[in-house]
Amino acid sequence: MLGNFTFHNPTKLYFGEEALSNLSKELEHYGNKVMLVYGGGSIKRNGIYDAVKAELQKAGKEVVELGGVMPNPTIDKVREGIQLAKEEAVDLILAVGGGSTIDYCKAVAGSTYQDADPWEYYFCNWGEMNCRWIPVGCVLTMAGTGSEMDSCSVISNHHENRKKFYYFRNPDFSILNPTYTFTVPQYQTVAGIYDIMSHILEQYLSGNDDNTSDYIAEGLMRSLIVSSRQVLANPEDYEARSNIMWTATWALNGLIACGKPTDWMVHMLGQAVAAYTDATHGHTLSAVSGAYYRLLISRSKDAEKKFCRLAENVWGISSDGKAEKEIAVEGLDRMEDWMRELGLAMNITDCGADDSMLEGMADACPITESGYVVLTREDVIDVLRKSLK
Ligand code: NZQ
Ligand code: ZN
């Protein structure tokens, strides 16, 4: 553990099968008008909408609704939300959904009282959030992004083929009931699982010190792998769903980044793919990971060493009589077997990408500088090309 850091996570969490019963009491801390925000309607089919409405009613709140938040939420939709939040002078924004709905609510919460256009001001130029913030509460319905306990908001702009992020503020509270994730379709469930794995790896695959954060990361990955197989066998396995939900939250609430550098290049590549294809987040990450990780192992001794540790401690690879590189690659192969077992996209062609998009994707891909290798633009194109089918 070498670095200096501050750890502060202000989100209040309610976890478990009974978690929603805390909502009406929690709502006492906020004003009367609640903007209830959700996605394409899954919450109306699985009963979560009715349960949340009952709590809002119990708390005597006036409710303004905004539905139709799409996966990979767009800046156009954010502008619609800003207008409604302003017109109605809402006191709290309640996100009921997955990462897309929560990210969306953070963007609306931090932009309603900001005069400048949110896309230019926040997402393109990283302007400071110095305006009034509308408090945000979450009822999480899908595990993966960690948005329930972080400040990040990822928004897409289809006019410009860009998907960008900004750090607003953490949700003020989040309600995590694992049973709500029973109805998440398999394609989305595995996308969420790989998103969690990728968040952990983005923070694990960097640095060369002996760091408590890395030991925690290994534990989270091992739990995730076990639970992923259980949930594929039985989508209503409470133990598996609850472990996955909790792992997702801890994967990106700041803990495992403490005291170490982080990489995030897989996310930059995945976002660039999504900017052109609008593909599901977790699948864009799985589609580029193999080519990127092979580049890391081939270019950096530190990376080789860390992949070797990952292979032994997480993927159960025996090191007997093998060179470090061999162990590292065997671990990566084992991880890719697991990814195929889950049914993840293993190439960007399956995400809707083709050769003609590679240059544009490289333009949409920021290059991070704190991982084992700092890519050049040519490297980015090379990784993307190797990620085609
Ligand atoms: O639209 P609804 O009806 O809600 O349906 C959703 C959507 O179609 C469905 N779903 C969610 N809960 C369900 C359910 N279906 C049945 N039963 C349920 N209980 O699943 C689909 C995907 O939902 P979405 O919210 O898009 O998924 P996810 O949670 O993976 O969020 C993805 C977004 O989060 C961003 C991604 O880039 C993407 O835009 N990320 C946010 C991060 C953050 N805030 O820290 C970090 C991540 O790296 C990521 O970039
Ligand atoms: Zn992610």
Side-chain angles (χ1 to χ4, degrees), residues 283-302:
H283 291 274
T284 64
L285 304 175
S286 56
V288 299
S289 289
Y292 177 63
Y293 289 151
R294 286 195 159 72
L295 177 147
L296 290 186
I297 294 174
S298 71
R299 294 258 188 97
S300 155
K301 265 278 160 209
D302 283 340

Side-chain angles (χ1 to χ4, degrees), residues 205 293 296-297 303-311 328 332:
L205 295 171
Y293 289 151
L296 290 186
I297 294 174
E304 182 185 300
K305 213 170 160 47
K306 197 59 169 282
F307 272 95
C308 180
R309 175 174 164 175
L310 176 69
L332 186 49

Side-chain angles (χ1 to χ4, degrees), residues 40-42 72 98-100 103 141 147 150 152 163 180 183 199 267 281:
S42 62
N72 299 326
S100 294
D103 284 11
T141 67
S147 189
D150 76 17
C152 187
K163 183 175 181 185
Y180 289 175
T183 54
H199 293 162
H267 269 68
H281 177 63

